[in-house]
Coordinates of all heavy atoms in Angstrom, one line a residue:
M1114 N 88.6 151.1 -112.3 CA 89.1 149.9 -111.7 C 89.1 150.0 -110.2 O 88.9 151.1 -109.6 CB 90.5 149.6 -112.2 CG 90.6 149.3 -113.7 SD 92.3 149.1 -114.3 CE 92.6 147.4 -113.7
F1115 N 89.3 148.9 -109.5 CA 89.3 148.8 -108.1 C 90.6 148.1 -107.6 O 91.0 147.1 -108.2 CB 88.1 148.1 -107.5 CG 86.8 148.7 -108.0 CD1 86.1 148.3 -109.1 CD2 86.2 149.7 -107.2 CE1 84.9 148.8 -109.5 CE2 85.0 150.3 -107.6 CZ 84.4 149.8 -108.7
V1116 N 91.1 148.5 -106.4 CA 92.1 147.8 -105.7 C 91.4 147.4 -104.4 O 90.9 148.2 -103.7 CB 93.3 148.6 -105.4 CG1 94.3 147.8 -104.6 CG2 94.0 149.0 -106.8
V1117 N 91.4 146.1 -104.1 CA 90.9 145.6 -102.9 C 92.0 145.1 -102.0 O 92.8 144.3 -102.4 CB 89.9 144.4 -103.1 CG1 89.3 143.9 -101.8 CG2 88.8 144.8 -104.0
T1118 N 92.1 145.7 -100.8 CA 93.1 145.2 -99.8 C 92.4 144.4 -98.8 O 91.5 144.8 -98.2 CB 93.8 146.5 -99.1 OG1 94.3 147.3 -100.1 CG2 94.9 146.0 -98.2
I1119 N 93.0 143.1 -98.7 CA 92.4 142.2 -97.7 C 93.4 142.1 -96.6 O 94.6 141.8 -96.8 CB 92.2 140.8 -98.4 CG1 91.3 140.9 -99.6 CG2 91.7 139.8 -97.3 CD1 91.2 139.6 -100.4
T1120 N 93.0 142.3 -95.4 CA 93.9 142.2 -94.2 C 93.4 141.1 -93.3 O 92.2 141.2 -92.8 CB 93.9 143.6 -93.4 OG1 94.2 144.6 -94.3 CG2 94.8 143.5 -92.2
Y1121 N 94.2 140.2 -93.0 CA 93.8 139.0 -92.2 C 93.6 139.5 -90.7 O 94.4 140.4 -90.2 CB 94.9 138.0 -92.2 CG 95.2 137.4 -93.5 CD1 96.5 136.9 -93.8 CD2 94.2 137.3 -94.5 CE1 96.8 136.3 -95.1 CE2 94.5 136.7 -95.8 CZ 95.8 136.2 -96.0 OH 96.1 135.7 -97.2
T1122 N 92.6 139.0 -90.1 CA 92.3 139.4 -88.7 C 92.4 138.2 -87.8 O 92.2 138.3 -86.6 CB 90.9 140.0 -88.6 OG1 89.9 139.0 -89.1 CG2 90.8 141.3 -89.4
Q1123 N 92.8 137.0 -88.3 CA 92.9 135.8 -87.5 C 94.3 135.2 -87.8 O 94.9 135.5 -88.8 CB 91.8 134.8 -87.9 CG 90.4 135.4 -87.7 CD 90.1 135.7 -86.2 OE1 90.5 134.9 -85.3 NE2 89.5 136.8 -85.9
P1124 N 94.7 134.3 -87.0 CA 96.0 133.6 -87.2 C 96.1 132.9 -88.5 O 95.1 132.5 -89.1 CB 96.0 132.6 -86.0 CG 95.1 133.1 -85.0 CD 94.0 133.8 -85.8
I1125 N 97.3 132.8 -89.0 CA 97.5 132.3 -90.3 C 97.0 130.8 -90.5 O 96.6 130.4 -91.6 CB 99.0 132.4 -90.7 CG1 99.2 132.2 -92.2 CG2 99.9 131.4 -89.9 CD1 98.6 133.2 -93.1
E1126 N 97.0 130.1 -89.4 CA 96.4 128.7 -89.4 C 94.9 128.8 -89.8 O 94.5 127.9 -90.6 CB 96.6 128.0 -88.1 CG 98.0 127.8 -87.7 CD 98.7 129.1 -87.1 OE1 98.0 130.0 -86.7 OE2 100.0 129.0 -87.0
A1127 N 94.2 129.7 -89.3 CA 92.8 129.9 -89.7 C 92.6 130.3 -91.1 O 91.7 129.8 -91.8 CB 92.1 130.9 -88.8
I1128 N 93.5 131.1 -91.6 CA 93.5 131.6 -93.0 C 93.8 130.3 -93.9 O 93.1 130.1 -94.9 CB 94.6 132.7 -93.2 CG1 94.3 133.9 -92.4 CG2 94.7 133.0 -94.7 CD1 92.9 134.5 -92.6
E1129 N 94.8 129.6 -93.6 CA 95.2 128.4 -94.4 C 94.1 127.4 -94.5 O 93.9 126.7 -95.5 CB 96.5 127.8 -93.9 CG 97.7 128.7 -94.2 CD 99.0 128.3 -93.6 OE1 99.0 127.3 -92.8 OE2 100.0 128.8 -94.0
A1130 N 93.3 127.3 -93.4 CA 92.2 126.3 -93.4 C 91.1 126.7 -94.4 O 90.4 125.8 -94.8 CB 91.6 126.2 -92.0
K1131 N 91.0 127.9 -94.8 CA 90.0 128.4 -95.7 C 90.6 128.9 -97.1 O 89.8 129.3 -97.9 CB 89.1 129.5 -95.1 CG 88.3 129.1 -93.9 CD 87.3 128.0 -94.3 CE 86.5 127.6 -93.1 NZ 85.6 126.5 -93.5
T1132 N 91.9 128.7 -97.2 CA 92.5 129.2 -98.5 C 92.0 128.5 -99.7 O 91.8 129.1 -100.7 CB 94.0 129.2 -98.4 OG1 94.4 130.1 -97.3 CG2 94.7 129.6 -99.7
A1133 N 91.8 127.2 -99.7 CA 91.3 126.5 -100.8 C 89.9 127.0 -101.3 O 89.7 127.2 -102.4 CB 91.3 125.0 -100.6
E1134 N 89.0 127.2 -100.3 CA 87.7 127.8 -100.6 C 87.8 129.2 -101.2 O 87.1 129.5 -102.1 CB 86.9 127.9 -99.3 CG 86.3 126.6 -98.8 CD 85.4 126.8 -97.6 OE1 84.6 127.7 -97.6 OE2 85.7 126.0 -96.6
H1135 N 88.7 130.0 -100.6 CA 88.9 131.4 -101.1 C 89.4 131.3 -102.5 O 88.9 132.1 -103.4 CB 89.9 132.1 -100.2 CG 90.5 133.3 -100.7 ND1 89.7 134.5 -100.7 CD2 91.7 133.7 -101.2 CE1 90.5 135.5 -101.2 NE2 91.7 135.0 -101.5
R1136 N 90.3 130.4 -102.8 CA 90.8 130.4 -104.2 C 89.8 129.9 -105.2 O 89.8 130.3 -106.3 CB 92.1 129.5 -104.2 CG 93.3 130.2 -103.5 CD 94.6 129.5 -103.6 NE 95.6 130.3 -103.0 CZ 96.7 129.7 -102.5 NH1 96.9 128.4 -102.5 NH2 97.6 130.5 -101.9
E1137 N 88.9 129.0 -104.8 CA 87.8 128.5 -105.6 C 86.9 129.7 -105.9 O 86.4 129.9 -107.0 CB 87.1 127.4 -105.0 CG 87.8 126.1 -104.9 CD 87.0 125.0 -104.2 OE1 85.8 125.1 -103.9 OE2 87.7 124.0 -103.8
W1138 N 86.6 130.5 -104.9 CA 85.8 131.7 -105.1 C 86.4 132.6 -106.1 O 85.8 133.1 -107.0 CB 85.5 132.3 -103.7 CG 84.7 133.6 -103.8 CD1 83.3 133.7 -103.8 CD2 85.2 134.9 -103.8 NE1 83.0 135.0 -103.8 CE2 84.1 135.8 -103.9 CE3 86.5 135.5 -103.9 CZ2 84.2 137.2 -103.9 CZ3 86.6 136.9 -104.0 CH2 85.5 137.7 -104.0
L1139 N 87.7 132.8 -105.9 CA 88.5 133.7 -106.8 C 88.5 133.2 -108.2 O 88.3 134.0 -109.2 CB 89.9 133.9 -106.3 CG 90.2 134.9 -105.3 CD1 91.7 134.8 -104.8 CD2 89.9 136.3 -105.7
D1140 N 88.7 131.9 -108.4 CA 88.7 131.3 -109.7 C 87.6 131.6 -110.6 O 87.7 132.0 -111.8 CB 88.8 129.7 -109.6 CG 90.2 129.2 -109.2 OD1 91.2 130.0 -109.2 OD2 90.3 128.1 -108.8
Q1141 N 86.4 131.6 -110.0 CA 85.2 132.0 -110.8 C 85.2 133.4 -111.3 O 84.8 133.7 -112.4 CB 83.9 131.6 -110.1 CG 83.6 132.4 -108.9 CD 82.4 132.0 -108.1 OE1 81.4 131.6 -108.7 NE2 82.4 132.2 -106.8
H1142 N 85.7 134.3 -110.5 CA 85.8 135.7 -110.8 C 86.9 136.1 -111.7 O 86.8 137.0 -112.5 CB 85.7 136.6 -109.5 CG 84.5 136.3 -108.7 ND1 83.2 136.6 -109.2 CD2 84.3 135.8 -107.5 CE1 82.3 136.3 -108.4 NE2 82.9 135.8 -107.3
V1143 N 88.0 135.3 -111.6 CA 89.1 135.5 -112.6 C 88.6 135.0 -114.0 O 88.8 135.6 -115.0 CB 90.4 134.7 -112.1 CG1 91.4 134.6 -113.2 CG2 91.0 135.3 -110.9
A1144 N 87.9 133.8 -114.0 CA 87.4 133.3 -115.2 C 86.4 134.2 -115.9 O 86.4 134.3 -117.2 CB 86.8 131.9 -115.0
S1145 N 85.6 134.9 -115.1 CA 84.7 135.8 -115.7 C 85.3 137.1 -116.2 O 84.6 137.9 -116.9 CB 83.6 136.2 -114.7 OG 84.1 137.1 -113.7
G1146 N 86.6 137.4 -115.8 CA 87.2 138.6 -116.2 C 87.1 139.7 -115.2 O 87.6 140.8 -115.4
L1147 N 86.3 139.5 -114.2 CA 86.1 140.5 -113.2 C 87.4 140.8 -112.4 O 87.8 142.0 -112.2 CB 85.0 140.2 -112.2 CG 84.7 141.2 -111.1 CD1 84.2 142.5 -111.7 CD2 83.7 140.7 -110.1
V1148 N 88.0 139.8 -111.9 CA 89.3 139.9 -111.1 C 90.4 139.8 -112.1 O 90.6 138.8 -112.8 CB 89.4 138.8 -110.0 CG1 90.8 138.9 -109.4 CG2 88.3 139.0 -109.0
V1149 N 91.2 140.9 -112.2 CA 92.3 141.0 -113.2 C 93.6 140.3 -112.6 O 94.3 139.6 -113.3 CB 92.6 142.5 -113.5 CG1 93.8 142.6 -114.5 CG2 91.3 143.1 -114.1
A1150 N 93.8 140.5 -111.3 CA 94.9 139.9 -110.6 C 94.6 139.7 -109.2 O 93.8 140.5 -108.6 CB 96.2 140.8 -110.8
A1151 N 95.2 138.7 -108.5 CA 95.0 138.5 -107.1 C 96.2 137.7 -106.6 O 96.8 136.9 -107.2 CB 93.7 137.6 -106.9
G1152 N 96.5 138.0 -105.3 CA 97.6 137.3 -104.7 C 97.8 137.8 -103.3 O 97.3 138.8 -102.8
P1153 N 98.6 137.0 -102.5 CA 98.9 137.3 -101.1 C 99.9 138.4 -101.1 O 100.8 138.6 -101.9 CB 99.5 136.0 -100.5 CG 100.0 135.3 -101.7 CD 99.2 135.7 -102.9
M1154 N 99.9 139.2 -100.0 CA 100.9 140.2 -99.7 C 102.2 139.5 -99.2 O 102.1 138.3 -98.8 CB 100.4 141.1 -98.6 CG 99.3 142.0 -98.9 SD 98.9 143.0 -97.4 CE 97.5 143.9 -98.0
V1155 N 103.3 140.2 -99.3 CA 104.5 139.7 -98.8 C 105.1 140.7 -97.8 O 105.3 141.9 -98.2 CB 105.6 139.5 -100.0 CG1 106.9 139.0 -99.5 CG2 105.0 138.6 -101.0
P1156 N 105.2 140.4 -96.6 CA 104.8 139.1 -95.9 C 103.3 138.8 -96.0 O 102.5 139.8 -96.2 CB 105.3 139.2 -94.5 CG 105.3 140.7 -94.2 CD 105.6 141.4 -95.6
R1157 N 102.9 137.6 -95.7 CA 101.5 137.2 -95.8 C 100.7 137.7 -94.7 O 100.3 136.9 -93.7 CB 101.5 135.7 -96.0 CG 100.2 135.2 -96.4 CD 100.2 133.7 -96.8 NE 98.8 133.3 -97.1 CZ 98.4 132.1 -96.9 NH1 99.2 131.1 -96.6 NH2 97.2 131.8 -97.2
T1158 N 100.3 138.9 -94.8 CA 99.4 139.5 -93.8 C 98.0 139.8 -94.3 O 97.1 140.4 -93.7 CB 100.0 140.8 -93.2 OG1 100.2 141.7 -94.4 CG2 101.3 140.6 -92.5
G1159 N 97.8 139.5 -95.6 CA 96.6 139.7 -96.3 C 96.8 139.5 -97.8 O 97.7 138.8 -98.2
G1160 N 96.0 140.1 -98.6 CA 96.1 139.9 -100.0 C 95.6 141.2 -100.8 O 95.1 142.1 -100.2
I1161 N 95.8 141.1 -102.1 CA 95.4 142.3 -103.0 C 94.6 141.7 -104.1 O 95.0 140.6 -104.7 CB 96.6 143.0 -103.5 CG1 97.5 143.6 -102.4 CG2 96.2 144.1 -104.5 CD1 96.8 144.8 -101.7
L1162 N 93.5 142.3 -104.5 CA 92.8 142.0 -105.7 C 92.8 143.3 -106.6 O 92.6 144.4 -106.1 CB 91.3 141.7 -105.4 CG 91.0 140.6 -104.4 CD1 89.5 140.5 -104.2 CD2 91.6 139.3 -104.8
I1163 N 93.0 143.1 -107.9 CA 92.8 144.2 -108.9 C 91.5 143.8 -109.6 O 91.5 142.6 -110.2 CB 94.0 144.3 -109.8 CG1 95.3 144.5 -109.1 CG2 93.7 145.4 -110.8 CD1 95.4 145.7 -108.2
V1164 N 90.5 144.6 -109.6 CA 89.2 144.3 -110.1 C 88.8 145.2 -111.2 O 89.0 146.5 -111.1 CB 88.2 144.3 -109.0 CG1 86.8 144.0 -109.5 CG2 88.6 143.4 -107.8
A1165 N 88.3 144.7 -112.3 CA 87.8 145.5 -113.4 C 86.7 146.4 -113.1 O 85.9 146.1 -112.1 CB 87.4 144.5 -114.6
S1166 N 86.5 147.4 -113.8 CA 85.4 148.4 -113.7 C 84.1 147.8 -114.3 O 83.8 148.1 -115.4 CB 85.7 149.7 -114.3 OG 86.8 150.3 -113.7
R1167 N 83.5 147.0 -113.5 CA 82.2 146.4 -113.9 C 81.2 146.6 -112.8 O 81.0 145.8 -111.9 CB 82.3 144.9 -114.2 CG 83.1 144.6 -115.4 CD 83.0 143.1 -115.7 NE 83.9 142.7 -116.7 CZ 84.1 141.4 -117.0 NH1 83.6 140.5 -116.3 NH2 85.0 141.1 -117.9
G1168 N 80.6 147.7 -112.8 CA 79.6 148.0 -111.7 C 80.2 149.0 -110.7 O 81.2 149.6 -110.9
T1169 N 79.4 149.2 -109.6 CA 79.8 150.2 -108.6 C 80.6 149.6 -107.5 O 80.7 148.4 -107.3 CB 78.5 150.8 -108.0 OG1 77.8 149.7 -107.3 CG2 77.6 151.4 -109.1
K1170 N 81.2 150.5 -106.7 CA 81.9 150.1 -105.5 C 81.0 149.3 -104.6 O 81.4 148.3 -104.0 CB 82.5 151.3 -104.8 CG 83.3 151.0 -103.6 CD 83.9 152.3 -103.0 CE 84.6 152.0 -101.7 NZ 85.2 153.2 -101.1
E1171 N 79.8 149.8 -104.5 CA 78.8 149.1 -103.6 C 78.5 147.7 -104.1 O 78.4 146.7 -103.3 CB 77.5 149.9 -103.5 CG 77.7 151.2 -102.7 CD 78.4 152.3 -103.6 OE1 78.4 152.2 -104.8 OE2 79.0 153.2 -102.9
E1172 N 78.4 147.5 -105.4 CA 78.2 146.2 -105.9 C 79.3 145.2 -105.7 O 79.2 144.1 -105.3 CB 77.9 146.2 -107.4 CG 76.5 146.9 -107.7 CD 76.3 147.2 -109.2 OE1 77.3 147.5 -109.9 OE2 75.2 147.2 -109.6
L1173 N 80.5 145.8 -105.8 CA 81.7 145.0 -105.5 C 81.8 144.6 -104.0 O 82.1 143.5 -103.7 CB 83.0 145.7 -105.9 CG 84.3 145.1 -105.6 CD1 84.4 143.7 -106.2 CD2 85.5 145.9 -106.1
E1174 N 81.5 145.6 -103.2 CA 81.5 145.3 -101.7 C 80.5 144.2 -101.4 O 80.8 143.3 -100.6 CB 81.2 146.5 -100.9 CG 82.4 147.5 -101.0 CD 82.1 148.9 -100.4 OE1 80.9 149.3 -100.4 OE2 83.1 149.6 -100.0
A1175 N 79.4 144.2 -102.0 CA 78.4 143.1 -101.8 C 78.9 141.8 -102.3 O 78.7 140.8 -101.6 CB 77.1 143.5 -102.5
L1176 N 79.5 141.8 -103.4 CA 80.1 140.5 -104.0 C 81.2 140.0 -103.0 O 81.3 138.8 -102.8 CB 80.7 140.8 -105.4 CG 81.4 139.6 -106.0 CD1 80.3 138.7 -106.6 CD2 82.3 140.1 -107.1
L1177 N 82.0 140.8 -102.5 CA 83.1 140.4 -101.6 C 82.6 139.7 -100.3 O 83.3 138.9 -99.7 CB 84.0 141.6 -101.2 CG 84.8 142.2 -102.4 CD1 85.4 143.5 -101.9 CD2 85.9 141.2 -102.9
K1178 N 81.3 140.0 -100.0 CA 80.8 139.4 -98.8 C 80.6 137.9 -98.9 O 80.5 137.2 -97.9 CB 79.4 140.0 -98.4 CG 79.6 141.4 -97.9 CD 78.3 142.0 -97.5 CE 78.5 143.5 -97.0 NZ 77.3 144.2 -96.7
A1179 N 80.7 137.4 -100.2 CA 80.6 135.9 -100.4 C 82.0 135.3 -100.4 O 82.1 134.0 -100.4 CB 80.0 135.7 -101.7
D1180 N 83.1 136.0 -100.3 CA 84.4 135.5 -100.2 C 84.5 134.7 -98.9 O 84.2 135.2 -97.8 CB 85.5 136.6 -100.2 CG 86.9 136.1 -100.2 OD1 87.1 134.9 -99.8 OD2 87.8 136.9 -100.5
P1181 N 84.9 133.4 -98.9 CA 85.0 132.6 -97.7 C 85.8 133.3 -96.6 O 85.5 133.1 -95.4 CB 85.6 131.3 -98.1 CG 85.2 131.2 -99.6 CD 85.2 132.6 -100.1
F1182 N 86.8 134.1 -96.9 CA 87.6 134.7 -95.8 C 86.7 135.7 -95.1 O 86.8 135.9 -93.9 CB 88.8 135.5 -96.4 CG 89.9 134.6 -96.8 CD1 91.0 135.2 -97.5 CD2 90.0 133.3 -96.4 CE1 92.1 134.4 -97.8 CE2 91.1 132.5 -96.8 CZ 92.2 133.1 -97.5
Q1183 N 85.8 136.4 -95.8 CA 84.8 137.3 -95.1 C 83.7 136.6 -94.5 O 83.3 136.9 -93.4 CB 84.3 138.4 -96.1 CG 83.6 139.5 -95.5 CD 83.5 140.8 -96.3 OE1 82.9 141.7 -95.8 NE2 84.1 140.9 -97.4
V1184 N 83.2 135.5 -95.2 CA 82.1 134.8 -94.6 C 82.4 134.2 -93.2 O 81.6 134.2 -92.3 CB 81.7 133.6 -95.6 CG1 80.8 132.6 -94.9 CG2 81.1 134.1 -96.9
H1185 N 83.7 133.8 -93.1 CA 84.1 133.1 -91.8 C 84.8 134.1 -90.9 O 85.4 133.7 -89.9 CB 85.0 132.0 -92.1 CG 84.3 130.9 -92.9 ND1 83.4 130.0 -92.3 CD2 84.4 130.5 -94.2 CE1 82.9 129.2 -93.2 NE2 83.5 129.5 -94.4
G1186 N 84.7 135.4 -91.2 CA 85.3 136.4 -90.3 C 86.8 136.4 -90.1 O 87.3 136.7 -89.0
L1187 N 87.5 136.1 -91.2 CA 88.9 135.9 -91.1 C 89.7 137.2 -91.6 O 90.9 137.3 -91.4 CB 89.4 134.7 -92.0 CG 88.7 133.4 -91.6 CD1 89.2 132.3 -92.6 CD2 89.1 133.0 -90.2
A1188 N 89.0 138.1 -92.3 CA 89.7 139.2 -92.9 C 88.8 140.4 -93.0 O 87.6 140.3 -93.0 CB 90.2 138.8 -94.2
E1189 N 89.4 141.6 -93.1 CA 88.7 142.9 -93.4 C 89.1 143.3 -94.8 O 90.2 143.0 -95.3 CB 89.2 143.9 -92.4 CG 88.7 143.6 -91.0 CD 89.2 144.7 -90.0 OE1 90.1 145.5 -90.3 OE2 88.7 144.6 -88.8
Y1190 N 88.2 144.0 -95.4 CA 88.3 144.4 -96.8 C 88.2 145.9 -97.0 O 87.4 146.5 -96.4 CB 87.3 143.7 -97.7 CG 87.4 142.2 -97.8 CD1 87.2 141.5 -96.6 CD2 87.7 141.6 -98.9 CE1 87.3 140.1 -96.7 CE2 87.8 140.2 -99.0 CZ 87.6 139.5 -97.9 OH 87.7 138.1 -97.9
E1191 N 89.1 146.5 -97.8 CA 89.1 147.9 -98.1 C 89.1 148.0 -99.6 O 90.0 147.4 -100.3 CB 90.3 148.6 -97.5 CG 90.2 150.1 -97.8 CD 91.4 150.9 -97.2 OE1 92.0 150.4 -96.3 OE2 91.7 152.0 -97.7
V1192 N 88.1 148.7 -100.1 CA 88.0 148.8 -101.6 C 88.3 150.3 -102.0 O 87.7 151.2 -101.4 CB 86.5 148.5 -102.1 CG1 86.4 148.7 -103.6 CG2 86.2 147.0 -101.7
A1193 N 89.2 150.4 -102.9 CA 89.6 151.8 -103.4 C 89.3 151.8 -104.9 O 89.8 150.9 -105.6 CB 91.0 152.1 -103.2
E1194 N 88.5 152.7 -105.3 CA 88.2 152.9 -106.8 C 89.2 153.9 -107.3 O 89.5 154.9 -106.7 CB 86.8 153.3 -107.0 CG 86.4 153.4 -108.4 CD 84.9 153.7 -108.6 OE1 84.2 154.0 -107.6 OE2 84.4 153.6 -109.8
F1195 N 89.7 153.6 -108.6 CA 90.5 154.6 -109.2 C 90.3 154.6 -110.7 O 89.8 153.6 -111.3 CB 92.0 154.4 -108.9 CG 92.6 153.2 -109.6 CD1 93.4 153.4 -110.7 CD2 92.4 151.9 -109.1 CE1 94.0 152.3 -111.4 CE2 93.0 150.8 -109.8 CZ 93.8 151.0 -110.9
K1196 N 90.6 155.7 -111.3 CA 90.5 155.9 -112.8 C 92.0 156.0 -113.3 O 92.7 156.9 -112.9 CB 89.8 157.1 -113.2 CG 88.3 157.0 -112.8 CD 87.5 158.0 -113.6 CE 86.0 157.9 -113.2 NZ 85.3 156.8 -113.8
A1197 N 92.4 155.0 -114.1 CA 93.7 154.9 -114.5 C 94.0 156.1 -115.5 O 93.4 156.1 -116.6 CB 94.0 153.6 -115.2
G1198 N 94.9 156.9 -115.1 CA 95.4 158.0 -116.0 C 96.3 157.5 -117.1 O 96.4 158.0 -118.2
K1199 N 97.1 156.5 -116.7 CA 98.0 155.8 -117.6 C 97.7 154.3 -117.5 O 97.5 153.8 -116.4 CB 99.5 156.0 -117.2 CG 99.9 157.5 -117.2 CD 100.0 158.0 -118.6 CE 100.5 159.4 -118.6 NZ 100.6 160.0 -119.9
L1200 N 97.6 153.7 -118.7 CA 97.1 152.3 -118.7 C 97.8 151.6 -119.8 O 97.8 152.0 -121.0 CB 95.6 152.3 -118.9 CG 95.0 150.9 -118.8 CD1 95.0 150.3 -117.4 CD2 93.5 151.0 -119.2
N1201 N 98.4 150.4 -119.5 CA 99.0 149.6 -120.5 C 97.8 149.2 -121.4 O 96.8 148.7 -120.9 CB 99.6 148.3 -119.8 CG 100.3 147.4 -120.8 OD1 99.6 146.9 -121.7 ND2 101.5 147.2 -120.6
P1202 N 98.0 149.2 -122.7 CA 96.9 148.9 -123.7 C 96.3 147.5 -123.4 O 95.1 147.3 -123.7 CB 97.6 149.0 -125.0 CG 98.7 150.0 -124.8 CD 99.2 149.7 -123.4
A1203 N 97.1 146.6 -122.9 CA 96.6 145.2 -122.7 C 95.5 145.2 -121.6 O 94.7 144.3 -121.5 CB 97.8 144.3 -122.3
L1204 N 95.5 146.2 -120.7 CA 94.5 146.3 -119.7 C 93.3 147.1 -120.0 O 92.4 147.2 -119.2 CB 95.2 146.9 -118.4 CG 96.3 146.0 -117.8 CD1 96.9 146.7 -116.6 CD2 95.8 144.7 -117.4
A1205 N 93.2 147.7 -121.2 CA 92.1 148.5 -121.6 C 90.7 147.9 -121.4 O 89.8 148.5 -121.0 CB 92.3 149.0 -123.0
P1206 N 90.6 146.6 -121.7 CA 89.3 146.0 -121.4 C 88.8 146.0 -120.0 O 87.6 145.8 -119.7 CB 89.4 144.5 -121.9 CG 90.6 144.5 -122.8 CD 91.5 145.6 -122.3
F1207 N 89.7 146.2 -119.1 CA 89.3 146.1 -117.6 C 89.1 147.5 -117.0 O 88.6 147.6 -115.9 CB 90.4 145.4 -116.9 CG 90.7 144.1 -117.4 CD1 91.9 143.8 -118.1 CD2 89.8 143.0 -117.2 CE1 92.2 142.6 -118.6 CE2 90.1 141.8 -117.8 CZ 91.3 141.5 -118.4
A1208 N 89.4 148.6 -117.7 CA 89.3 149.9 -117.2 C 87.9 150.5 -117.2 O 87.1 150.0 -118.0 CB 90.3 150.8 -117.9

């Protein structure tokens, strides 16, 4: 699995202007089962994505380049891959 940390690099007004596009982009990946969970940090300085193990870290990084926040230079992305040593059985399809 992967944890993607999104850190905003522009004022929140610029983020809000592209949030609808970002959520549309996310919707397709949630629907496909790739993105397991997504949401903003508290306080809202960025966001977190939990991503299923489907492909390599490099493939995920390439996919993230299509996120409107990245396309418009609004955020930086850090991808961490991990192997769950303990996993709720409901999440087994994503590991």
